[in-house]
Structures are given as C-alpha cells and as structure tokens.
C-alpha cells in the first residue's frame, strides 16, 4: 500500500476498480456485495446508467462555472430540493462537513441579525457526527476527533443522547439552536423516537431556538421517506444534506427557511466548487429518482424485508448479535463481538459492511438493492457470523 498518503485511515487491502449496482468489483475481479455503499453515498448503486448519463452529458457541455455567474443546473437542483422539503432556499457545498460549517455560521448570523450576537450556544448530542472541519468536530465533541486539535471553537454543549430531561434543563431563551441527527449514523444507527423529535421541535418553538437537523447520512430516502424528519411530522429551520444526494459525486447542501437563510447576504459565504454544474446535474437526477413516492415506498418495503431477515439472523447467532435497529435501509446490527471482526470476516465472504460506534455494524446498501440481493446479503452475514463464532 502507498506510504505517500497521510495515515488517517486503517484501510483494508482491497482496491475496487469497477462497480455495478449493489456490487463492487476488486482489481482481481472478485465481486463484493456492497452493504456499505461508500458509507451511504452510492444511493442508486454503482455506475447507475441514469447517473452516468447525467454526468457524461454534463461533462460534454461545461464542467465548472464560478458562482459569480448563474448556474442553471444548480438552480434546477435547488428548485427540486425546495419543492420536496420544508426549505425555501439552498446553498450547495461539496461535503457534509462544509454543510455543518455553514449551518453553524447561519445560526450565529441569524442571532446577530436579531440583535443578539451573544446568543451562540448550540445544544448537541453525545455520539453525534457532523464531519471533520474545526467547527464540526467542536460540535460533535467526541474525544477521538478533537484530541490534539484544540482550542476548540466555543459555543457547543453536548447532552446525553435521547435524554429529553437533560434537554429541557439545558434549553432556554439563550439557546441559539439544537443540532441533531434524526438517526445517528456514525454513533451507531441510533434513531431518535418520533415523539422525541416532536418534543425537541416544541422546545425550540417555546424558546425561539432554531432546529438544525443533520440528515447527511439519514436523509435522501435512506429511512424510506425522503427526509427522516417527515416520520415525526415536524420541520426543521435548517438542514444539512450530503452523502446520498450526489450518488457518489461530491455534493452537499444546506437547506433553510427564508427567515434563516435570508440572513446570508452577498459576500457572507461562498464556495468555489459548491454547486458545480457536474455535481448539480448528477444531484438533480438523484433527486428526481429518489423523491418519487413509488421509489420511496420500495425503500420502505425492502427495508422491512431486510429487517425481518436480520431479526432471524440475530436469533440464530445470539452470541454474535444483540439486536437490529434503524429504519428503512439504514440498519445496524448491535454486536456482542467487536464490529471490526465482523467487517473483516465479511471481506472473506465478499460482503462489505461498515463499523460504527456503540458496537454496531452498519448496513447502508444502495437504495436500489434487490430482494434477491437482500436475501444473498443476509445469507453471507450468516456465514460471516459463523466465521466469527469459529474464531475468525
Ligand atoms: C458523513 C457525515 C458528515 C460529514 O460528511 P463529509 O462529507 O464526510 O464531510 C456529517 N454528518 C453526518 C451525519 C454524517 O454521516
């Protein structure tokens, strides 16, 4: 493996050179069933013909235009996102962490414009992940991500996950915002109960605090609705999106209401690549496909099918697995063994999964996975569990 890369990843010694739908194909031709999807990114599978068409079609026209000009592909994608969400306006980024960065800046600017520039405290939650920029690591506050990178940006207060009493005690009319993932991804596929999200919305309404949702991982159809917040019947003020929106092309976005987004006046933020024509041409196609109610109904059906099969798997390997959790096609297997052991044993069964915190193996396949592939995936997981029971 190359020694010319920063050693920030413990990489598996596999190089994928091709992909087809739910399959990633290694240099030597071995086909792996991909339940990781580049960590919930390849939402429509590898080399999806419609996305290839969107990308290459745009590549033949124009690749890059500065945001000092109008970008029709960007306007079109913004129209689609506004049409299919709570939002009135959108800013495009290249990644989730940039979206988090802008969301934080927007909250601060909002309160400054309200004449209350000291109202900066954002309530966050343990186990959260918002990315790796200095603002995003301060927001999430996890020991492993912040160590060595101090002093941290002030203004964040982490609360225990799922502890509404702690939130009630912490929130006040000095709180700038509450920032939360409706389903924690890196934190171990931990869905927040719908009634808790509704209670958080109500507390924000009472105190005036903004509700900022991070749907970078759980949005874009993952849970079986376009946005995870729809399950609770509430709407945020600001939302971060990335991962699945580009289907594999780097793209992120911050969605906002007029009241909050409107504070970002000309010159107050920007991005060279954000909203690039290539990214937006792909993103628009992804949105058209995923926002379709028939497509989302299929995600819900397949999610239920996969979950049911996983419950059976857990029951037949009680030493390895504790439980299944998640919603739609963002599922987690909570384990009694180190999840990394299962991920590694997966390679031997040509199955790709991703570890998460809280002893969880994450299953976030392409939303286009077929019923047969789901059955095959669970059969492979069964063999993976047997391998781990047999000591590797
Ligand atoms: C992955 C992720 C991010 C960061 O996105 P990047 O594109 O890696 O910067 C932020 N929030 C959540 C919930 C994520 O899962």
């Amino acid at each position: 493996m190359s020694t010319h890369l920063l050693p920030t990843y413990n990489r598996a010694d596999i190089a994928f050179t091709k992909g087809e739908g739910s399959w990633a194909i290694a240099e030597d031709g071995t086909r792996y069933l991909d339940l990781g999807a580049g960590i919930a990114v390849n939402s429509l599978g590898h080399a999806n013909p419609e996305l290839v068409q969107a990308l290459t079609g745009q590549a033949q026209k124009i690749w890059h235009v500065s945001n000092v000009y109008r970008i029709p592909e960007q306007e079109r994608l913004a129209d689609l996102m506004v049409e299919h969400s709570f939002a009135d306006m959108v800013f495009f980024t290249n990644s989730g962490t940039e979206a988090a960065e802008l969301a934080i800046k927007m909250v601060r600017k909002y309160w400054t414009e309200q004449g209350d520039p000291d109202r900066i405290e954002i309530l966050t939650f343990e186990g959260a992940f918002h990315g790796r920029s200095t603002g995003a690591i301060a927001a999430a506050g996890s020991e492993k991500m912040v160590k060595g990178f101090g002093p941290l940006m002030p203004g964040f207060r982490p609360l225990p996950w799922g502890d509404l009493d702690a939130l009630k005690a912490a929130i006040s009319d000095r709180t700038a915002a509450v920032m939360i993932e409706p389903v924690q991804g890196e934190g171990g596929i931990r869905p927040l109960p719908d009634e808790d999200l509704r209670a958080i919305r109500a507390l924000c309404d009472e105190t005036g605090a903004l509700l900022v949702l991070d749907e970078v991982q759980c949005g874009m159809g993952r849970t079986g609705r376009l946005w995870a917040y729809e399950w609770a019947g509430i709407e945020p003020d600001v939302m971060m999106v990335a991962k699945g929106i580009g289907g594999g092309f780097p793209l992120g976005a911050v969605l906002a209401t007029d009241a909050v987004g409107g504070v970002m006046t000309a010159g107050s933020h920007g991005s060279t690549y954000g909203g690039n024509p290539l990214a937006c041409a792909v993103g628009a196609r992804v949105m058209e496909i995923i926002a379709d109610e028939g497509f989302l109904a299929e995600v819900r059906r397949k999610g239920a099918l996969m979950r049911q099969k996983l419950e059976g798997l857990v029951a037949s390997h009680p030493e390895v697995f504790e439980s299944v959790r998640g919603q739609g096609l963002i599922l987690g297997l909570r384990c009694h063994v180190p999840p990394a052991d299962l991920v590694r044993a997966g390679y031997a069964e040509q199955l790709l999964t991703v570890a998460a915190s809280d002893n969880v193996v994450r299953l976030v396949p392409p939303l286009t996975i077929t019923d047969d592939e789901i059955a095959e995936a669970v059969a492979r997981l069964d063999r993976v569990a047997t391998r781990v029971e047999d000591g590797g």
Side-chain angles (χ1 to χ4, degrees):
M1 279 190 263
S2 172
T3 54
H4 299 143
L5 295 169
L6 288 191
T8 52
Y9 284 95
N10 281 318
R11 295 172 194 271
D13 190 11
I14 314 173
F16 297 105
T17 50
K18 207 168 146 25
E20 289 169 11
S22 304
W23 300 83
I25 303 158
E27 271 172 322
D28 66 0
T30 310
R31 293 169 65 87
Y32 292 75
L33 185 48
D34 189 1
L35 303 186
I39 315 194
V41 167
N42 301 106
S43 47
L44 297 174
H46 295 279
N48 182 299
E50 294 187 73
L51 301 191
V52 171
Q53 175 60 44
L55 180 62
T56 57
Q58 184 60 41
Q60 280 157 10
K61 293 182 197 158
I62 192 161
W63 287 26
H64 180 75
V65 184
S66 165
N67 278 306
V68 304
Y69 307 104
R70 285 185 48 212
I71 301 179
E73 297 75 21
Q74 191 183 118
E75 292 174 2
R76 189 172 138 55
L77 177 54
D79 290 349
L80 280 168
M81 298 195 81
V82 166
E83 182 191 334
H84 292 285
S85 74
F86 74 96
D88 302 310
M89 40 178 88
V90 185
F91 183 94
F92 292 104
T93 66
N94 309 288
S95 67
T97 204
E98 287 167 79
E101 206 66 34
L102 171 56
I104 295 162
K105 283 176 70 175
M106 243 154 121
V107 167
R108 289 189 170 189
K109 187 85 167 14
Y110 175 82
W111 287 112
T112 301
E113 297 293 313
Q114 302 293 308
D116 203 351
D118 298 329
R119 187 165 175 173
I120 62 157
E121 186 170 77
I122 299 180
L123 300 177
T124 59
F125 295 87
E126 284 161 6
F129 183 77
H130 303 298
R132 302 293 195 147
S133 59
T134 50
I137 61 172
S142 106
E143 174 73 12
K144 138 184 126 175
M145 289 195 297
V146 303
K147 206 168 163 229
F149 301 117
L152 288 179
M153 182 191 203
F156 300 98
R157 181 157 154 210
L159 303 171
W161 172 254
D163 187 342
L164 275 186
D165 290 334
L167 179 63
K168 274 179 207 146
I171 199 167
S172 74
D173 59 6
R174 300 308 305 150
T175 304
V178 176
M179 185 187 277
I180 191 165
E181 297 156 80
V183 182
Q184 275 195 347
E186 306 296 316
I189 314 298
R190 297 199 290 184
L192 192 72
D194 293 342
E195 59 272 24
D196 286 14
L197 198 49
R198 281 193 287 272
I200 292 173
R201 177 73 266 182
L203 287 168
C204 287
D205 289 342
E206 279 165 34
T207 55
L210 300 174
L211 177 59
V212 179
L213 294 183
D214 183 345
E215 294 219 11
V216 167
Q217 193 158 158
C218 64
M220 282 311 289
R222 265 288 137 207
T223 64
R225 301 234 181 255
L226 185 58
W227 311 116
Y229 70 73
E230 293 173 25
W231 290 102
I234 58 107
E235 292 187 338
D237 300 292
V238 176
M239 181 168 74
M240 293 112 81
V241 177
K243 292 203 166 90
I245 176 74
F249 200 93
L251 177 61
V254 178
L255 283 66
T257 58
D258 271 329
V260 185
V263 304
M264 300 304 288
T265 46
S268 66
H269 196 64
S271 170
T272 296
Y273 281 127
N276 162 293
L278 291 170
C280 289
V282 176
R285 197 75 197 95
V286 173
M287 265 301 283
E288 283 170 349
I289 295 171
I290 295 183
D292 177 74
E293 195 35 56
F295 183 92
L296 291 165
E298 270 296 280
V299 175
R300 294 194 289 275
R301 186 190 62 76
K302 289 186 288 190
L305 173 71
M306 187 156 175
R307 197 192 176 102
Q308 179 208 337
K309 288 183 183 294
L310 291 172
E311 301 281 3
L313 175 82
V314 169
S316 46
H317 297 279
E319 314 277 282
V320 177
F321 300 118
E322 185 216 86
S323 56
V324 189
R325 60 195 191 193
Q327 191 164 24
L329 289 171
I330 176 163
L331 295 167
L333 283 167
R334 189 132 197 271
C335 310
H336 293 302
V337 300
D341 291 359
L342 285 156
V343 172
R344 201 173 320 107
Y347 299 139
E349 297 290 344
Q350 287 88 54
L351 184 75
L352 305 180
T353 59
V354 197
S357 300
D358 203 29
N359 256 11
V360 164
V361 171
R362 232 182 309 185
L363 311 175
V364 282
L367 304 179
T368 48
I369 191 170
T370 65
D371 290 13
D372 287 350
E373 286 164 346
I374 288 172
E376 179 61 29
V378 178
R380 289 185 191 207
L381 278 167
D382 187 64
R383 298 202 293 273
V384 167
T386 304
R387 269 180 192 268
V388 169
E389 285 157 356
D390 296 347

